[in-house]
């Protein structure tokens, strides 16, 4: 007998509908699986055989042939276990074919018949709905994630024997009611991250953080150890605008494909904050591997990628960020195909200015000019050119350390209100466009939304020559000035905005230029 079951396969961030064909015939007993299968899929034969036995289904001495199409795409993972087992049950006549019509199945089988969770359920369900499936049978642990997709019935299954009994008793009509979806991964009314009110002083660095959050600009903080760089970075999550519904689904999809959704989590509502160690490899940062998966920069999609001790990262690893910072995507080519992962992140980096951390204060710094230059040269010029804001975080004086940040209105609640006002102006300005923040403006968009008056143009021309800006640097100053104007509630970019934006560009040049001149 012959049967067909539909399942979902993953190819990068996207899912495709795969068809599991099972044929049972007389002949020499055997269990063959074909269809360009990976080792995990081939190993499914033994898991399925034992799981069926423990579900009190005895396989007769027949020849079982399973084909998973399309055979041109490489199949990886363990999500094919459940649909193959269901196909065998249908082909044996135990389960009528009509009971699983227009049904997508996915799940890993344990030897005792338990149905275990798998990664990538969300894109599979989305593709199933797109292809006209009316129901999905998936592991119980994946149901909250799957129920984010409306218009398709979700059945959570915990055990193969229980699933078979349920299908037979209900004649293929699942009576499972949809549970309330977990719409968040944080408690209501509580913003993620530290509070800026806990940071004493450092008002200029806080200002830079607000500007970065308002326009989603990349930020680099330079200063000696213990001045609050890491605290500022971790506090930025508390002032970022909330994710839109579309962005929430994008981020959840990335974590689903990576298999990193926490148990019990449905929709991710907080912007990600990812802080990799400086020993991270290039593959772990950008993604890939034998079985391609999203890397750290994709896990930071729509959120913050925080690189602490930036100069301790390998230069070759940092240079891998150059293309994703511009294109907001990362493409990985493998023999099995080309995979594309989203990578629209805000880079927040912190570093010391020299190996000992106190340059250019020669009263404390004992590093030679050569040591300082070698240390700073670990960050390439193209990476620096892609960072919009560079700010110093100097050593704190005692008076500033004992002062209260909340007295001057610099706690997260006040700063978040400023960011949201600037975000509202951007949302109104770019309504109907694929642009959410000023940092996403292209060269053509800048000519439309960052127009300068005559005096501002002349001022910008002097800045261009004085700072020796590249075309990219020129555009980044205009984008930054646009954000500064939005924070001030101004529609027109003024000289004061251009001047502040230029100062953020010059702060980094102070270190790299001075170290090379010594």
């Amino acid at each position: 007998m012959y049967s067909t079951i539909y399942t979902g396969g993953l190819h990068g961030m996207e899912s495709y509908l795969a068809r599991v064909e099972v044929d049972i015939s007389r002949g020499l007993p055997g269990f063959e699986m074909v269809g360009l299968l990976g080792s995990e899929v081939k190993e499914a034969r033994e898991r399925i055989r034992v799981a069926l036995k423990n579900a009190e289904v005895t396989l007769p001495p027949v020849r079982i042939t399973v084909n998973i199409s399309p055979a041109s795409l490489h199949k990886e993972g363990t999500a094919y276990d459940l649909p193959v087992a269901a196909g065998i049950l249908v082909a044996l006549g135990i389960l009528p074919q009509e009971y699983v019509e227009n049904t997508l199945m996915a799940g890993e089988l344990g030897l005792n018949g338990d149905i275990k969770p798998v990664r990538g359920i969300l894109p599979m369900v989305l593709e199933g709905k797109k292809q006209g499936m009316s129901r999905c049978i998936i592991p119980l642990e994946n149901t909250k994630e799957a129920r984010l997709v409306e218009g398709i019935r979700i059945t959570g299954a915990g055990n193969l024997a229980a699933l078979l009994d349920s299908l037979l008793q209900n004649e293929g009509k699942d009576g499972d009611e949809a549970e309330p979806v977990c719409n968040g991964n944080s408690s209501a009314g509580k913003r993620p991250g530290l509070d800026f009110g806990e940071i004493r002083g450092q008002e200029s660095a806080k200002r830079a953080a607000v500007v970065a959050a308002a326009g989603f600009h990349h930020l680099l903080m330079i200063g000696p150890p213990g001045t609050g760089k890491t605290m500022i970075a971790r506090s930025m999550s508390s002032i970022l605008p909330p994710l839109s519904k579309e962005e929430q689904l994008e981020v959840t999809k990335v974590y689903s494909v990576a298999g990193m959704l926490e148990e019990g989590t449905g929709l991710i509502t907080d912007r990600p904050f990812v802080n990799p160690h400086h020993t991270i490899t290039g593959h772990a940062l950008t993604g890939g591997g034998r079985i391609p998966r999203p890397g750290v920069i994709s896990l930071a999609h729509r959120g913050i990628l925080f690189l602490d001790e930036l100069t301790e990262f390998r230069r070759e690893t940092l240079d891998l960020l150059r293309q994703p910072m511009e294109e907001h995507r990362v493409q990985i080519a493998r023999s099995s195909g080309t995979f594309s992962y989203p990578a629209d992140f805000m880079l927040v980096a912190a570093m010391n200015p020299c190996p000992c951390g106190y340059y250019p204060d020669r009263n404390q710094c004992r590093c030679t000019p050569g040591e300082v230059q070698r240390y700073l040269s670990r960050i390439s010029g193209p990476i620096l050119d892609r960072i919009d804001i560079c700010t110093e975080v100097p050593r704190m004086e005692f008076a500033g350390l004992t002062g209260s940040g909340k007295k001057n209105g610099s706690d997260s609640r006040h700063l978040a209100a400023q960011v949201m006002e600037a975000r509202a102006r951007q949302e109104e300005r770019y309504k109907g466009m694929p642009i959410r923040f000023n940092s996403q403006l292209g060269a053509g968009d800048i000519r439309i939304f960052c127009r300068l008056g005559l005096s501002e143009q002349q001022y910008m021309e002097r800045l261009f020559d004085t700072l020796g800006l590249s075309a990219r640097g020129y555009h980044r100053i205009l984008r930054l000035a646009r954000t500064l104007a939005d924070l001030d509630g101004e529609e027109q970019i003024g000289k004061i905005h251009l001047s502040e934006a230029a100062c953020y560009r010059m702060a980094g040049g102070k270190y790299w230029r001075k170290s090379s001149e010594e």
Side-chain angles (χ1 to χ4, degrees):
M1 295 182 64
Y2 172 84
S3 68
T4 300
I5 300 289
Y6 287 98
T7 187
L10 291 176
H11 186 79
M13 283 299 300
E14 301 304 320
S15 178
Y16 60 90
L17 205 63
R19 190 168 67 173
V20 177
E21 301 173 306
V22 179
D23 180 80
I24 293 181
S25 59
R26 295 180 179 178
L28 187 65
F31 193 158
E32 295 295 330
M33 295 180 65
V34 296
L36 198 57
L37 311 178
S39 57
E40 298 95 338
V41 187
K42 291 179 180 178
E43 291 170 353
R45 291 177 299 187
E46 301 308 318
R47 289 195 297 271
I48 293 167
R49 192 192 304 273
V50 178
L52 287 172
K53 175 183 72 70
N54 289 323
E56 299 182 355
V57 176
T58 303
L59 292 179
V62 292
R63 183 168 187 81
I64 302 174
T65 305
V66 177
N67 175 49
I68 305 178
S69 63
S72 58
L73 292 177
H74 195 68
K75 319 297 187 310
E76 296 283 357
T78 57
Y80 300 99
D81 292 10
L82 181 59
V84 171
I88 292 173
L89 291 173
V90 173
L92 288 174
I94 297 173
L95 183 66
Q97 178 74 59
E98 59 267 23
Y99 286 9
V100 290
E101 289 293 336
N102 295 321
T103 297
L104 183 145
M105 292 187 181
E108 177 185 342
L109 290 178
L111 296 184
N112 61 350
D114 286 347
I115 301 175
K116 301 179 181 180
V118 294
R119 66 184 182 95
I121 283 293
L122 180 57
M124 290 181 192
V125 176
L126 285 168
E127 183 63 21
K129 179 185 175 183
K130 181 180 176 182
Q131 297 294 335
M133 297 289 109
S134 60
R135 179 178 60 175
C136 290
I137 298 177
I138 58 172
L140 273 173
E141 288 86 345
N142 292 126
T143 52
K144 285 190 176 180
E145 170 189 352
R147 286 186 173 127
L148 297 175
V149 184
E150 298 178 353
I152 187 169
R153 200 170 53 183
I154 304 299
T155 300
N159 181 274
L160 184 59
L163 174 63
L164 180 58
D165 290 342
S166 175
L167 289 173
L168 292 175
Q169 289 172 9
N170 290 281
E171 297 183 350
K173 298 178 181 180
D174 173 48
D176 185 25
E177 294 294 330
E179 298 174 2
V181 178
C182 175
N183 287 323
N185 58 353
S186 63
S187 57
K190 180 181 178 182
R191 296 185 66 88
L194 301 176
D195 194 295
F196 271 101
E198 300 174 8
I199 304 172
R200 302 293 183 254
Q202 302 296 11
E203 295 304 316
S204 61
K206 290 182 182 179
R207 166 69 174 177
V210 170
V211 176
F216 219 65
H217 299 283
H218 302 308
L219 170 66
L220 172 62
M221 294 178 284
I222 306 175
T227 54
K229 300 185 295 295
T230 302
M231 285 189 69
I232 292 172
R234 293 190 179 277
S235 299
M236 289 186 68
S237 295
S238 65
I239 64 172
L240 283 174
L243 290 168
S244 66
K245 288 295 183 182
E246 180 184 352
E247 289 174 328
Q248 290 173 5
L249 200 58
E250 286 179 17
V251 175
T252 305
K253 188 175 177 181
V254 172
Y255 277 75
S256 174
V257 171
M260 295 185 64
L261 275 180
E262 295 181 5
E263 186 176 349
T265 299
L267 194 64
I268 293 179
T269 57
D270 295 336
R271 291 190 181 272
F273 183 91
V274 183
N275 180 18
H277 193 262
H278 64 261
T279 56
I280 190 172
T281 64
H283 282 155
L285 185 69
T286 59
R290 186 182 65 85
I291 303 175
R293 293 197 185 187
V296 164
I297 60 175
S298 295
L299 296 176
H301 181 59
R302 303 296 187 190
I304 294 175
L305 174 64
F306 177 45
L307 301 184
D308 202 3
E309 304 296 345
L310 184 65
T311 46
E312 299 300 326
F313 287 79
R314 295 177 57 194
R315 177 167 175 158
E316 297 81 4
T317 302
L318 291 178
D319 282 343
L320 293 174
L321 296 173
R322 288 159 62 171
Q323 184 180 359
M325 288 172 71
E326 288 293 318
E327 299 181 1
H328 310 303
R329 298 193 71 81
V330 58
Q331 285 195 327
I332 301 166
R334 293 289 183 269
S335 59
S336 55
T338 300
F339 305 87
S340 180
Y341 299 108
D344 189 1
F345 58 88
M346 179 170 67
L347 175 65
V348 178
M351 58 173 282
N352 297 328
C354 69
C356 76
Y358 297 100
Y359 177 83
D361 182 2
R362 286 305 185 184
N363 293 324
Q364 297 188 69
C365 179
R366 296 295 181 263
C367 301
T368 65
E371 289 174 334
V372 175
Q373 187 172 3
R374 283 192 298 272
Y375 186 79
L376 295 176
S377 66
R378 296 178 187 177
I379 307 172
S380 64
I383 288 291
L384 288 172
D385 203 34
R386 286 168 166 81
I387 297 177
D388 301 343
I389 302 174
C390 183
T391 186
E392 293 183 86
V393 187
R395 176 181 174 272
M396 287 289 298
E397 299 295 334
F398 181 77
L401 189 62
T402 56
S404 172
K406 293 189 178 182
K407 289 182 179 179
N408 52 28
S410 59
D411 63 310
S412 288
R413 185 169 59 88
H414 289 88
L415 298 181
Q418 297 176 29
V419 171
M420 287 305 299
E421 289 177 8
R423 174 70 182 106
R425 295 186 183 95
Q426 294 171 66
E427 189 173 355
E428 180 64 28
R429 183 184 302 122
Y430 307 131
K431 186 178 295 183
M433 302 179 65
I435 299 172
R436 292 183 174 88
F437 294 98
N438 291 326
S439 62
Q440 297 172 327
L441 291 172
D445 302 318
I446 288 174
R447 286 192 289 270
I448 299 172
F449 299 110
C450 300
R451 291 178 180 172
L452 302 178
L454 180 59
S455 60
E456 286 79 14
Q457 274 188 325
Q458 294 172 345
Y459 182 71
M460 192 65 215
E461 184 177 354
R462 292 195 297 272
L463 284 177
F464 186 87
D465 294 333
T466 302
L467 300 180
L469 296 173
S470 63
R472 182 189 291 118
Y474 168 74
H475 288 148
R476 289 193 177 278
I477 283 185
L478 289 180
R479 292 191 195 105
L480 196 53
R482 177 69 272 166
T483 300
L484 291 165
D486 287 339
L487 283 168
D488 289 344
E490 301 287 343
E491 189 58 37
Q492 184 65 34
I493 297 174
K495 289 183 181 178
I496 188 171
H497 306 128
L498 294 171
S499 177
E500 185 176 353
C503 287
Y504 287 132
R505 296 287 299 182
M506 293 167 59
K510 163 187 172 182
Y511 287 92
W512 276 267
R513 184 171 59 250
K514 187 170 182 177
S515 68
S516 61
E517 290 173 353
E518 288 187 352

